[in-house]
Coordinates of all heavy atoms in Angstrom, one line a residue:
Chain C
I147 N 1.9 -18.3 -2.6 CA 1.4 -19.6 -2.5 C 2.1 -20.6 -3.4 O 2.5 -21.7 -3.0 CB -0.1 -19.5 -2.7 CG1 -0.7 -18.8 -1.5 CG2 -0.6 -21.0 -2.8 CD1 -2.3 -18.6 -1.8
F150 N 5.4 -21.6 -2.0 CA 5.2 -22.5 -0.8 C 5.0 -23.9 -1.4 O 5.5 -24.9 -0.9 CB 4.1 -22.0 0.1 CG 3.7 -23.0 1.1 CD1 4.6 -23.0 2.3 CD2 2.7 -23.9 1.2 CE1 4.3 -23.9 3.3 CE2 2.5 -24.8 2.1 CZ 3.3 -24.8 3.2
F196 N 7.9 -25.3 9.6 CA 7.2 -24.3 10.3 C 7.5 -22.9 9.9 O 6.7 -22.0 9.8 CB 7.5 -24.3 11.9 CG 7.0 -25.7 12.5 CD1 7.8 -26.4 13.5 CD2 5.8 -26.4 12.1 CE1 7.3 -27.6 14.0 CE2 5.4 -27.5 12.6 CZ 6.2 -28.1 13.6
M198 N 8.5 -22.2 6.8 CA 7.8 -22.0 5.5 C 6.4 -21.6 5.7 O 5.8 -20.7 5.0 CB 7.8 -23.3 4.7 CG 9.2 -23.6 4.0 SD 9.4 -25.3 3.4 CE 8.0 -25.5 2.4
K199 N 5.8 -22.3 6.6 CA 4.4 -21.9 6.8 C 4.1 -20.5 7.4 O 3.2 -19.8 7.0 CB 3.8 -22.9 7.9 CG 3.4 -24.3 7.4 CD 3.1 -25.3 8.4 CE 1.8 -25.1 9.1 NZ 1.6 -26.0 10.2
S200 N 5.1 -20.1 8.2 CA 5.0 -18.7 8.8 C 5.2 -17.7 7.7 O 4.4 -16.7 7.7 CB 6.1 -18.5 9.8 OG 6.1 -17.3 10.3
S201 N 5.9 -17.9 6.7 CA 6.1 -17.1 5.6 C 4.9 -17.0 4.7 O 4.5 -15.8 4.5 CB 7.3 -17.6 4.8 OG 7.8 -16.7 3.9
V202 N 4.3 -18.1 4.4 CA 3.1 -18.0 3.5 C 1.9 -17.5 4.2 O 1.0 -16.9 3.7 CB 2.8 -19.4 2.8 CG1 2.2 -20.4 3.7 CG2 2.1 -19.2 1.5
A203 N 1.9 -17.7 5.6 CA 0.8 -17.2 6.5 C 0.7 -15.7 6.3 O -0.4 -15.1 6.4 CB 0.9 -17.7 7.9
K204 N 1.8 -15.0 6.2 CA 1.8 -13.6 6.0 C 1.1 -13.1 4.8 O 0.4 -12.1 4.6 CB 3.3 -13.0 6.1 CG 3.9 -13.1 7.4 CD 5.2 -12.3 7.4 CE 6.1 -12.8 8.6 NZ 7.5 -13.2 8.0
A205 N 1.3 -14.0 3.7 CA 0.7 -13.7 2.4 C -0.9 -14.1 2.4 O -1.6 -13.2 2.0 CB 1.3 -14.4 1.3
D206 N -1.1 -15.2 2.9 CA -2.5 -15.7 2.9 C -2.8 -16.6 4.1 O -2.5 -17.8 4.0 CB -2.9 -16.3 1.7 CG -4.4 -16.6 1.5 OD1 -5.1 -16.7 2.6 OD2 -4.9 -17.0 0.4
V207 N -3.3 -16.1 5.2 CA -3.4 -16.9 6.4 C -4.4 -18.0 6.2 O -4.3 -19.1 6.7 CB -3.7 -16.0 7.6 CG1 -5.0 -15.4 7.5 CG2 -3.5 -16.8 8.9
F208 N -5.4 -17.7 5.4 CA -6.5 -18.7 5.2 C -6.1 -19.9 4.4 O -6.6 -21.0 4.6 CB -7.7 -18.1 4.5 CG -8.6 -17.3 5.4 CD1 -8.9 -15.9 5.1 CD2 -9.1 -17.8 6.5 CE1 -9.7 -15.2 6.0 CE2 -9.9 -17.1 7.4 CZ -10.2 -15.7 7.1
Y209 N -5.0 -19.6 3.7 CA -4.4 -20.8 2.9 C -3.8 -21.8 3.8 O -3.9 -23.0 3.7 CB -3.3 -20.2 1.9 CG -2.5 -21.3 1.2 CD1 -3.2 -22.0 0.1 CD2 -1.3 -21.7 1.5 CE1 -2.5 -23.1 -0.6 CE2 -0.6 -22.6 0.9 CZ -1.2 -23.4 -0.2 OH -0.5 -24.3 -0.8
V210 N -3.2 -21.3 4.9 CA -2.5 -22.1 5.8 C -3.5 -22.8 6.7 O -3.5 -24.1 7.0 CB -1.5 -21.4 6.8 CG1 -0.9 -22.2 7.8 CG2 -0.4 -20.7 5.9
M211 N -4.5 -21.9 7.1 CA -5.6 -22.5 8.0 C -6.4 -23.6 7.3 O -6.7 -24.6 7.9 CB -6.6 -21.4 8.4 CG -6.1 -20.5 9.4 SD -6.0 -21.2 11.0 CE -7.6 -21.6 11.4
S212 N -6.5 -23.5 6.0 CA -7.5 -24.5 5.3 C -6.6 -25.8 5.0 O -7.2 -26.8 4.8 CB -7.8 -23.9 3.8 OG -6.7 -23.8 3.0
G213 N -5.4 -25.7 5.1 CA -4.5 -27.0 4.9 C -4.6 -27.4 3.4 O -4.5 -28.6 3.2
K214 N -4.9 -26.5 2.5 CA -5.1 -27.0 1.1 C -3.9 -27.8 0.5 O -4.0 -28.6 -0.4 CB -5.3 -25.7 0.2 CG -6.7 -25.3 0.1 CD -6.9 -24.3 -0.9 CE -8.1 -23.4 -0.7 NZ -8.0 -22.0 -1.0
W215 N -2.8 -27.5 1.1 CA -1.5 -28.1 0.6 C -1.3 -29.5 1.2 O -0.4 -30.2 0.7 CB -0.3 -27.2 1.0 CG -0.5 -26.6 2.5 CD1 -1.3 -25.7 2.8 CD2 0.1 -27.0 3.7 NE1 -1.3 -25.4 4.2 CE2 -0.4 -26.3 4.7 CE3 1.1 -28.1 3.9 CZ2 -0.1 -26.5 6.0 CZ3 1.4 -28.3 5.3 CH2 1.0 -27.4 6.3
K216 N -2.2 -29.9 2.0 CA -2.2 -31.3 2.5 C -3.2 -32.1 1.8 O -4.2 -31.7 1.2 CB -2.3 -31.2 4.0 CG -1.2 -30.4 4.6 CD -0.9 -30.9 6.0 CE -1.7 -30.2 7.1 NZ -1.2 -30.5 8.4
R221 N -6.1 -33.2 6.4 CA -7.0 -32.1 6.8 C -8.1 -32.4 7.7 O -8.4 -31.5 8.5 CB -7.6 -31.5 5.4 CG -6.9 -30.3 4.8 CD -7.6 -29.9 3.5 NE -7.0 -30.5 2.4 CZ -7.7 -30.9 1.4 NH1 -8.9 -30.7 1.3 NH2 -7.1 -31.5 0.4
S224 N -6.9 -31.6 11.0 CA -6.3 -30.4 11.1 C -6.8 -29.5 12.2 O -8.0 -29.4 12.5 CB -6.5 -29.6 9.9 OG -5.6 -28.4 9.8
W225 N -5.9 -28.8 13.0 CA -6.2 -27.9 14.1 C -5.4 -26.7 14.0 O -4.1 -26.8 14.1 CB -6.0 -28.6 15.5 CG -6.2 -27.6 16.7 CD1 -7.3 -27.2 17.2 CD2 -5.0 -27.1 17.4 NE1 -6.9 -26.5 18.3 CE2 -5.7 -26.3 18.4 CE3 -3.7 -27.1 17.3 CZ2 -4.8 -25.6 19.4 CZ3 -2.9 -26.5 18.2 CH2 -3.5 -25.7 19.2
I226 N -5.7 -25.6 13.7 CA -5.0 -24.4 13.4 C -3.9 -24.6 12.6 O -2.7 -24.4 12.9 CB -4.6 -23.7 14.8 CG1 -5.7 -23.6 15.8 CG2 -4.0 -22.3 14.5 CD1 -5.4 -22.8 17.0
G227 N -4.2 -25.1 11.3 CA -3.2 -25.3 10.3 C -2.2 -26.4 10.5 O -1.1 -26.3 9.8
G228 N -2.5 -27.4 11.3 CA -1.6 -28.6 11.4 C -2.2 -29.5 12.4 O -3.3 -29.5 12.7
L306 N -5.1 -13.7 13.4 CA -5.1 -15.2 13.0 C -3.6 -15.6 12.6 O -3.3 -16.8 12.9 CB -6.1 -15.4 11.7 CG -6.5 -16.8 11.4 CD1 -7.0 -17.4 12.7 CD2 -7.4 -16.8 10.2
V307 N -2.9 -14.8 12.0 CA -1.5 -15.1 11.7 C -0.7 -15.4 13.0 O 0.0 -16.4 13.1 CB -0.7 -13.9 11.0 CG1 0.7 -14.3 10.6 CG2 -1.5 -13.5 9.8
V310 N -1.7 -19.0 14.0 CA -1.0 -20.0 13.4 C 0.4 -20.1 13.8 O 0.9 -21.2 14.1 CB -1.0 -19.7 11.8 CG1 -0.2 -20.5 11.0 CG2 -2.5 -19.8 11.3
N311 N 1.1 -19.0 14.0 CA 2.4 -19.1 14.6 C 2.5 -19.7 15.9 O 3.5 -20.4 16.2 CB 3.0 -17.6 14.5 CG 3.3 -17.0 13.2 OD1 3.5 -17.8 12.3 ND2 3.4 -15.8 13.0
D314 N 2.1 -23.5 15.6 CA 3.4 -24.1 15.2 C 4.5 -24.0 16.3 O 5.3 -24.9 16.4 CB 3.9 -23.4 13.9 CG 3.2 -23.9 12.6 OD1 2.5 -25.1 12.8 OD2 3.3 -23.3 11.5
R317 N 3.8 -26.8 18.5 CA 4.2 -28.1 17.9 C 5.7 -28.3 18.0 O 6.3 -29.3 18.3 CB 3.9 -28.2 16.4 CG 2.4 -28.3 16.2 CD 1.9 -28.1 14.8 NE 0.5 -28.0 14.8 CZ -0.2 -27.0 14.3 NH1 0.3 -25.9 13.8 NH2 -1.6 -27.0 14.4

Side-chain angles (χ1 to χ4, degrees):
Chain C
I147 291 176
F150 175 81
F196 299 144
M198 283 165 54
K199 281 167 72 183
S200 177
S201 196
V202 77
K204 288 188 202 131
D206 185 346
V207 70
F208 282 125
Y209 176 76
V210 177
M211 284 291 294
S212 71
K214 274 193 204 141
W215 38 287
K216 300 212 266 192
R221 259 179 272 144
S224 193
W225 171 80
I226 314 187
L306 196 54
V307 178
V310 169
N311 289 337
D314 277 345
R317 290 170 189 120

